[in-house]
Structure formats: structure tokens, C-alpha cells
Amino acid sequence: MKNDWPQWEIFVRSEAGLAHKHVGSLHAADERMALESARDLYTRRNEGVSIWVVRSEHVHATDPAQSEEFFEPSEDKAYRHPTFYHVPEGVKHL
Amino acid sequence: MSDGIEGRPEPDDARQQCFESRLDRALKIEPPDWMPDAYRKTLTRQISQHAHSEIVGMLPEGNWITRAPSLHRKLILLAKVQDEAGHGLYLYSAAESLGTPRDELVAALHAGKAKYSSIFNYPTLTWADVGAIGWLVDGAAIINQIPITRCSYGPYARAMVRICKEESFHQRQGFDIMWTLAHGTPPQRAMAQDALDRWWWPSVMMFGPPDAASVHNEQSLRWKIKLFTNDELRQKFIDQTVPQAERLRLTIPDPQLRWNEETQHYEIGPVDWDEFYRVVGGDGPCNRERLSARVDAWNDGAWVRDAAAEHARKRAGSEAA
């Protein structure tokens, strides 16, 4: 039987209060090994206080070939930004 | 990850144009993006060679872990060699994102089909060699790698950011060993000088053949896989290392080495490129030993990989039940 260890994507929270951020990937037989290897590989210099590991095959991503159509709907909606609006002179706290 | 383009006979012009325009606008290429087959192939070769170099590079230094002169030096060297393993893993991941599984890359190394940095085919004869490797070899590696943090392929650039941070520790610990020996007893000074004598030229050669003879330079520069030429990087290394050797009061083994006031650069004597090609070609002092150490490590570790996979299968089975 072929014993390729599956690939995992690694996310590290650098300090409490910040979001987990993708830092790379690694191979491990199971989630425990993935967590321990991620610690050994990606937090050797106090880079993290928490780690998430996710099997790479469980990540679903947008298709770069369709990025334009996919993200296009937000492009012509400048009114979603506060800078779209004119603030009359003298009006404060707006 | 699927890219849906492998095996397509001819890249279509629109995709090619889009790719080139991204390069021109200094936008990164990411794994699922369309890229020309040659770009993918070149990057896979370069990144996997780089990964192999990190892993093989553990061998000459690992040789000294049990013989480090103090517990302090032993801890530092152990940490450094562990870092090199990590660098190899970051880089294998980056290479895999281009579509070739890691086992295939490792198999190519073990079959002698893939290259790694020739410098690791030289032996580490004394403790001073550990100092010289950190100072010179890691110093050269930093100069090579810093520009790669800005290369066009996202995963490679990101891996390189982490690696460069860690290499800086490697270079300093090496210089620290050299400094200590250079300020020690006459035999210790002699040992430091001997290490510099043996590692200087191989380090100068680490940047690859001169620009005029380099096969990969031009295309890689266009693809922004490479941002400076071999000779430019080599000059930078020389300019920065010669004054460090002077501070150590050690002599660079090159009677023709001189400062050129006009160009504000050091000039070196002729490099023995025959030696370089001989070692690249497999005939260095330790080529066979390095490769067989890698193959043995892989084979000896097979039962661990099998056991871990079996354990994971059993656990997955009992959870499903």
C-alpha cells in the first residue's frame, strides 16, 4: 500500500486578538502529527499562540480564470464606500 | 490542486499575454494561475534543487553536532541544522504547489537525476569548518536568496522571506565561531585560516558559472525568477566578505585579490571553473557519500512513515465505525 502522507495547510495565530494566517503547508499522517509538525516547523521562534491545520483537499478556492466575472459585481459600486459621499462644509462627526 | 492546463498542446496567446502583463506589472503568479509550461518546469527545477540543497546541507554540519566543543555550541548547531530541515520543507511545499508531488522530487534526488548545491560535496574536516560554512556559505546563500523574496512566484517568494530571516542567525553564529578561533591560541587561529583557505573558492563558485557561460540567466531574469545575474551577486558577496576577513585578521587565499579604487569593488583572481564543473558533474570529494547518506536516511525511515500511515488509517477507521 502506498503510504503518502496527505498534505495539510497551516494557519498560525501570532498573538491573541489576531486572526489565524496561512503560513504554508506540510505532509503528515494525521491531524495530531500535522499540529506537532506545524509547531516544529512554523513556530520555532515564538511565531504563534495557536495553530489550525486543514487538509489541503478540503480547501475550496475561486477559479483564477474566472476572477474577473466573479469579483466584477463589486467594481461599479463606489457608493459602498464612505468617500463616495460629499460632506457639506462645516458638518462634523460624519 | 488542479490547474487544468497540463497537457494542453500550445498555450493560447491570450493567456500568455495575461501572464506576461502580470510580470510587467510586478504582480505575483500564484499556484492556480495559468503559467507557461517552461516557467513551471524551470521553477520546479530551481525550487526543488534549492530544497535538496537545504537537506543535503544538513549532512556536513550534522557531522559535528556530537563533536561540538561545548554544550552551548552544540545547542546552536543543532538549532541551525534543524532550521535547514525546515527550509527544505518550506521549499518542497513551494515546489509541490507547481504540481509535482514531493516524493517524486525526492526520488529524483536519490536517483542522482536532480542537482543540489555543489558546496555540500566538500568535507567538514575541523570544527572551524562549521564556522566557515555559517559565515561564508550561509552568507553567500543570503545574498542569493534576498532578491528571491521579490521573485514572481508567490509561494517561492514567501518561503524565502522566512528562510532569509533564519539564515541571518546562521551567518552570525558562523562568524562568531570564526571570531572566537581567530582570537584563540595559535593552533586555533591556524585552524580558522585553514578553513577559510578551503571554503573561500567553493563559496565564490556558489553563485554559479560566470554570466557569459550561464545557461539559465537570461530567461530567468525575464521571468523575474532571478533578479540579479550570477556575477552581480558574486561581486556583492566578495565586496561584503573581504572586509569581514580583514576584521578576523585572516587572509583570503587569493594573491591577486585587490581593491579597485575606480570601480569601488574588490577584484579577484581567476576562478577554477574546471573544479566547479567537476564537482557539479558528480566528482567532488563527497558526492557519493552525501547521496548515499540521503538514500540510507530515506530507507531507514521507511518503517516510521509506514507505521504513522497505518496508525492514521486505523484511527480513521475506528472513528468511522
Side-chain angles (χ1 to χ4, degrees):
Chain A
M1 192 177 281
K2 204 160 155 41
N3 280 333
D4 289 345
W5 293 346
Q7 197 180 40
W8 303 74
E9 298 302 322
I10 313 302
F11 300 81
V12 171
R13 186 201 294 283
S14 58
E15 55 181 287
L18 295 180
H20 286 77
K21 196 178 157 215
H22 185 245
V23 293
S25 53
L26 52 77
H27 289 270
D30 58 20
E31 66 278 8
R32 186 175 155 193
M33 186 193 256
L35 284 168
E36 287 175 357
S37 296
R39 172 200 59 195
D40 294 345
L41 193 55
Y42 291 108
T43 63
R44 281 168 55 73
R45 290 175 173 80
N46 302 317
E47 291 97 333
V49 295
S50 165
I51 300 175
W52 287 351
V53 298
V54 180
R55 284 279 289 268
S56 303
E57 67 201 51
H58 294 160
V59 175
H60 300 274
T62 53
D63 176 1
Q66 278 158 21
S67 279
E68 236 166 89
E69 305 93 285
F70 194 82
F71 293 105
E72 185 273 335
S74 81
E75 264 170 29
D76 57 356
K77 295 175 182 62
Y79 51 83
R80 289 176 176 176
H81 298 272
T83 46
F84 176 78
Y85 300 92
H86 169 70
V87 178
E89 192 150 347
V91 177
K92 289 177 180 168
H93 306 300
L94 196 66
Chain B
M1 241 172 233
S2 79
D3 48 37
I5 51 112
E6 292 290 3
R8 212 168 256 257
E10 200 59 39
D12 76 45
D13 287 348
R15 284 167 152 190
Q16 178 79 29
Q17 266 170 20
C18 172
F19 171 80
E20 273 163 22
S21 114
R22 289 185 72 153
L23 290 186
D24 292 341
R25 286 177 291 152
L27 293 177
K28 302 285 182 210
I29 308 299
E30 293 292 342
D33 293 337
W34 185 89
M35 61 188 88
D37 282 347
Y39 176 85
R40 185 184 298 276
K41 218 175 131 192
T42 302
L43 264 176
T44 304
R45 180 183 52 77
Q46 184 176 330
I47 301 174
S48 62
Q49 273 182 19
H50 197 157
H52 300 329
S53 301
E54 300 285 356
I55 299 297
V56 176
M58 295 166 74
L59 298 170
E61 289 182 297
N63 195 30
W64 280 91
I65 291 174
T66 55
R67 286 176 281 163
S70 67
L71 179 60
H72 172 73
R73 293 290 186 196
K74 185 174 184 160
L75 286 172
I76 294 172
L77 182 57
L78 193 56
K80 180 190 188 291
V81 174
Q82 285 172 342
D83 277 354
E84 306 295 3
H87 296 178
L89 290 173
Y90 307 155
L91 287 163
Y92 282 126
S93 291
E96 278 195 299
S97 71
L98 291 158
T100 311
R102 186 172 73 187
D103 284 359
E104 232 172 88
L105 301 170
V106 171
L109 172 71
H110 292 173
K113 286 185 209 147
K115 292 205 176 351
Y116 55 87
S117 183
S118 272
I119 193 100
F120 301 118
N121 289 320
Y122 291 88
T124 40
L125 303 178
T126 71
W127 171 250
D129 288 22
V130 175
I133 289 179
W135 172 39
L136 299 173
V137 177
D138 290 292
I142 291 173
I143 289 174
N144 249 329
Q145 291 168 351
I146 284 178
I148 306 176
T149 62
R150 291 181 282 122
C151 82
S152 63
Y153 189 58
Y156 193 24
R158 289 192 288 275
M160 212 48 69
V161 171
R162 292 187 63 87
I163 290 175
C164 284
K165 275 188 206 159
E166 297 173 359
E167 291 286 3
S168 183
F169 141 58
H170 298 175
Q171 190 190 18
R172 286 198 191 184
Q173 67 84 37
F175 189 81
D176 189 61
I177 291 172
M178 294 302 274
W179 184 265
T180 305
L181 291 172
H183 290 80
T185 61
Q188 286 171 332
R189 276 194 64 76
M191 193 194 275
Q193 180 63 52
D194 169 62
L196 173 57
D197 289 348
R198 285 180 291 108
W199 289 94
W200 171 254
W201 287 110
S203 301
V204 167
M205 293 178 202
M206 267 180 76
F207 298 90
D211 293 350
S214 174
V215 244
H216 302 301
N217 252 337
E218 210 177 302
Q219 180 63 79
S220 293
L221 287 165
R222 211 163 39 234
W223 277 335
K224 296 186 180 159
I225 294 174
K226 201 171 178 153
L227 292 122
F228 297 97
T229 69
N230 294 355
D231 287 337
E232 285 168 340
L233 294 167
R234 184 172 6 256
Q235 187 62 50
K236 198 162 184 211
F237 170 73
I238 292 162
D239 287 342
Q240 126 180 354
T241 310
V242 173
Q244 292 169 351
E246 283 167 2
R247 278 305 305 279
L248 291 168
R249 287 185 291 120
L250 297 176
T251 310
I252 298 221
D254 178 0
Q256 294 182 49
L257 179 74
R258 64 175 200 103
W259 172 251
N260 184 328
E261 191 57 44
E262 217 168 283
T263 61
Q264 294 286 300
H265 289 296
Y266 286 94
E267 286 171 7
I268 57 168
V271 179
D272 182 1
W273 290 111
D274 289 343
E275 175 181 329
F276 173 78
Y277 288 114
R278 202 162 54 239
V279 181
V280 170
D283 235 355
C286 300
N287 294 53
R288 284 166 206 84
E289 186 185 330
R290 299 292 183 238
L291 208 54
S292 74
R294 280 311 316 152
V295 173
D296 289 349
W298 178 260
N299 292 338
D300 291 349
W303 70 271
V304 181
R305 295 192 298 277
D306 292 347
E310 187 54 31
H311 177 69
R313 260 196 297 273
K314 274 192 185 157
R315 271 197 50 215
S318 69
E319 267 166 32

